């Protein structure tokens, strides 16, 4: 097994559906241009309220990716 080096990036995803959907949107978009995505950690969750209803979610996450050998 090789020793690997990882890079940590920060992303913020958004969704009108849910916080889970916001996470999935961020990871899917990052996966278009980045590869070797390995894990994520949610660091902040926030939302927009209108008329006593949550209408929009934003989730900030750290994503770890393995650098090419």
């Amino acid at each position: 097994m090789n020793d690997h080096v990882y890079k940590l990036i920060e992303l913020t995803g958004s969704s009108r559906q849910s916080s889970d959907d916001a996470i999935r949107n961020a990871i899917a978009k990052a996966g278009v241009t980045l590869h070797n995505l390995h894990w994520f950690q949610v660091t902040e969750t926030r939302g927009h309220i209108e008329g006593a209803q949550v209408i929009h979610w934003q989730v900030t996450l750290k994503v770890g990716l393995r650098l090419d050998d």
Side-chain angles (χ1 to χ4, degrees):
M1 179 175 189
N2 294 334
D3 292 329
H4 298 293
V5 174
Y6 296 88
K7 178 170 181 63
L8 196 61
I9 62 170
E10 186 173 78
L11 304 171
T12 300
S14 64
S15 171
R16 293 189 180 272
Q17 305 303 313
S18 67
S19 58
D20 285 352
D21 198 44
I23 293 167
R24 293 178 200 287
N25 288 343
I27 292 171
K29 185 70 167 183
V32 172
T33 58
L34 302 171
H35 59 281
N36 297 330
L37 301 177
H38 275 262
W39 73 87
F40 73 93
Q41 173 186 352
V42 173
T43 59
E44 186 176 6
T45 302
R46 59 190 171 272
H48 184 115
I49 301 169
E50 276 188 21
Q53 298 292 318
V54 176
I55 63 162
H56 199 259
W57 294 88
Q58 283 188 336
V59 179
T60 300
L61 50 146
K62 291 181 180 179
V63 176
L65 57 107
R66 184 178 45 82
L67 299 178
D68 291 336
D69 292 330

